[in-house]
Amino acid sequence: MAISGVSDVAIEASGISKGVLNISLSIVLPQGYSELLYVVIGVCIARAAESALGIDVGLRWPNKVVLRNKTAGFYRIERLSESGEGTLYRVNITLNLYSNTARLLGLDTSLSSELGDERADWESLITRLVSEVKEAARHLREGVTSRFIIEYSRRFANLGEEVRAILKNDSIIEGTVMGLSRDGSIIIMSGGELRSIKPGSIKELRTLWP
């Protein structure tokens, strides 16, 4: 796929199958946002769900969407290509709208469970989500990043938890989650020192307590 311009945000695919929403977006951004994009997309999903459906949404680092601390969705980010115009990403978002079988995807609850209604306006949710991503891309092109860290921190379900971080190189870091850094990395107090882990370097983050 060619990079056609730094303002591009496009829907590649969108559909609801067996009560689960899957949406794929392509996004072109200036270089340097690979890690922060995990924070930005989480905030976009939370804002869209709250605006379209009126529900409170939490975020579990690096890529999970939670309702009352139960996982209702997740997202994945893939860097496809780079050019002088920017970096092209594909973002795949999965949200459990009303499926009773989504545990197979590792999802513990659904948006309809929180709403108490399977007949919500899901199309409005999709429209709002795309709008939030476009607005976020505009902010990133302007160099505005702190607002996303601040908002993610307000929804940060991991904050204060004792965790075990398993990295892609199979090293393990255990400690207490203290917050986020400016690039979207999680900050863990481990062995008396602060350790920073980038979203792209994590294989699995397990909660040990509570």
Side-chain angles (χ1 to χ4, degrees):
M1 182 183 299
I3 296 177
S4 59
V6 296
S7 63
D8 288 354
V9 175
I11 299 177
E12 293 187 347
S14 176
I16 299 173
S17 176
K18 297 181 180 179
V20 176
L21 168 65
N22 289 286
I23 182 169
S24 179
L25 302 172
S26 63
I27 306 172
V28 180
L29 294 171
Q31 296 179 5
Y33 288 122
S34 296
E35 307 296 344
L36 184 63
L37 192 54
Y38 283 87
V39 167
V40 172
I41 293 300
V43 169
C44 288
I45 294 170
R47 286 180 179 175
E50 291 185 354
S51 176
L53 306 175
I55 56 177
D56 294 326
V57 177
L59 298 168
R60 182 166 290 280
W61 191 94
N63 66 337
K64 292 183 179 179
V65 179
V66 296
L67 305 174
R68 301 183 188 275
N69 216 27
K70 294 182 179 181
T71 304
F74 57 86
Y75 50 96
R76 295 188 173 94
I77 298 172
E78 181 183 4
R79 185 167 57 185
L80 298 179
S81 62
E82 293 188 16
S83 77
E85 294 180 329
T87 304
L88 175 64
Y89 300 91
R90 176 178 293 125
V91 178
N92 296 308
I93 299 169
T94 298
L95 294 174
N96 183 10
L97 304 184
Y98 51 85
S99 173
N100 294 322
T101 61
R103 289 186 181 276
L104 298 174
L105 299 173
L107 304 178
D108 305 315
T109 189
S110 67
L111 299 184
S112 65
S113 295
E114 184 73 8
L115 290 167
D117 185 2
E118 292 186 6
R119 297 169 296 176
D121 187 356
W122 306 122
E123 290 300 323
S124 176
L125 172 64
I126 295 171
T127 300
R128 187 62 189 176
L129 176 56
V130 174
S131 175
E132 289 288 351
V133 173
K134 289 182 177 180
E135 181 72 4
R138 182 181 66 81
H139 284 300
L140 292 179
R141 291 192 300 274
E142 294 172 352
V144 178
T145 60
S146 59
R147 62 181 298 174
F148 298 105
I149 296 294
I150 292 170
E151 183 159 355
Y152 194 103
S153 297
R154 181 172 65 84
R155 307 172 185 276
F156 196 11
N158 308 85
L159 190 62
E161 291 184 343
E162 292 181 12
V163 299
R164 175 182 293 124
I166 304 173
L167 307 186
K168 289 180 179 178
N169 63 7
D170 291 326
S171 61
I172 296 175
I173 299 173
E174 292 188 358
T176 303
V177 178
M178 306 301 290
L180 293 174
S181 65
R182 290 183 177 181
D183 68 350
S185 298
I186 196 171
I187 301 172
I188 296 176
M189 177 65 76
S190 177
E193 63 177 295
L194 292 175
R195 305 287 297 274
S196 179
I197 303 172
K198 296 181 181 298
S201 67
I202 193 80
K203 179 190 292 183
E204 183 181 2
L205 189 69
R206 299 177 184 172
T207 300
L208 303 178
W209 186 89

